[in-house]
Amino acid sequence: MDKTITFIRHGKTAGNLTNCYIGITDEQLTIEGEKDILDRSYPEADIVFVSPLSRCIRTAEIIYPSLDPVVIDELRETNFGSFEGKNYKDLSSNPDYQRWIDSGGDLPFPGGESKQEATARALIGFDKLLELSKDYYNISVVAHGGTIMGILSHIFGGDYYSYHVENCEGYTIDLSHDGIFSGLYPRSFRR
């Protein structure tokens, strides 16, 4: 039987509200972030996988209160290094930031990861997820924007940033019984 895998980006944190690079910082959801989740309708799931960061765990608990989230460490967000906790205004006079922008986001974050390194790590987590979900058909993954972009751009090709997803939104993909991915569907879960 075929499976569906739904990727959901976590609810909003304080850093999301100020457009900060929040990767390894373990920010909680804001009250607004929790309300945004409750204003949506998500697909049913037989199992839910999450990043180890509390914003993803809490999002999964709100969406799927009857399921125990399965934590996969490799699904965590990109380490933004010295850009962590800052936004473009804070970094506008930083020459390292300008170099990173000029590279189209391909350079590693100073003191952090490159998108290629973060994607390789996320794919290890995705492989674990696939192994652990063999007996399930409706799979949900609550993770981060970078994690989702990395996995989907690897599977379906195209530009990493074309898979950007807003908080509380996501994508659903199909996985056939013979291991073929198809049917990439952007999802707005608004009611």
Side-chain angles (χ1 to χ4, degrees):
M1 181 174 202
D2 293 346
K3 302 172 184 267
T4 61
I5 303 172
T6 299
F7 293 90
I8 303 165
R9 185 175 174 203
H10 61 80
K12 289 181 184 172
T13 68
N16 295 140
L17 296 175
T18 56
N19 297 313
C20 288
Y21 291 94
I22 303 297
I24 59 173
T25 303
D26 197 12
E27 283 195 343
Q28 303 293 318
L29 296 179
T30 62
I31 292 170
E32 175 188 331
E34 291 201 12
K35 286 179 183 175
D36 283 349
I37 296 165
L38 293 169
D39 286 342
R40 289 168 166 78
S41 179
Y42 294 92
E44 290 186 25
D46 305 317
I47 190 168
V48 60
F49 295 95
V50 296
S51 152
L53 296 174
S54 59
R55 57 194 183 263
C56 293
I57 294 170
R58 181 65 183 138
T59 298
E61 290 171 346
I62 294 168
I63 297 171
Y64 302 108
S66 64
L67 296 177
D68 291 326
V70 178
V71 175
I72 297 183
D73 188 57
E74 292 86 357
L75 295 178
R76 68 190 181 280
E77 180 60 288
T78 305
N79 178 346
F80 294 121
S82 64
F83 298 170
E84 185 77 21
K86 299 175 180 137
N87 63 26
Y88 68 96
K89 290 178 186 175
D90 300 327
L91 295 164
S92 63
S93 62
N94 183 324
D96 288 335
Y97 185 65
Q98 190 57 54
R99 278 191 286 280
W100 181 79
I101 293 292
D102 292 345
S103 78
D106 280 337
L107 286 177
F109 292 96
E113 294 177 292
S114 68
K115 72 179 176 188
Q116 293 83 1
E117 291 166 330
T119 295
R121 174 182 37 75
L123 290 170
I124 291 169
F126 188 63
D127 285 343
K128 288 181 181 180
L129 174 160
L130 292 174
E131 182 64 31
L132 292 169
S133 65
K134 282 185 176 177
D135 298 328
Y136 298 94
Y137 298 102
N138 297 305
I139 302 157
S140 285
V141 183
V142 179
H144 309 274
T147 304
I148 295 168
M149 290 187 294
I151 293 169
L152 294 180
S153 63
H154 175 78
I155 293 171
F156 293 102
D159 183 63
Y160 173 90
Y161 296 104
S162 67
Y163 298 96
H164 173 76
V165 61
E166 296 296 327
N167 294 97
C168 304
E169 302 295 344
Y171 291 92
T172 296
I173 63 174
D174 296 322
L175 175 59
S176 69
H177 64 281
D178 55 357
I180 306 292
F181 292 103
S182 64
L184 175 67
Y185 309 103
R187 299 292 302 268
S188 173
F189 301 107
R190 292 188 185 278
R191 294 178 196 198

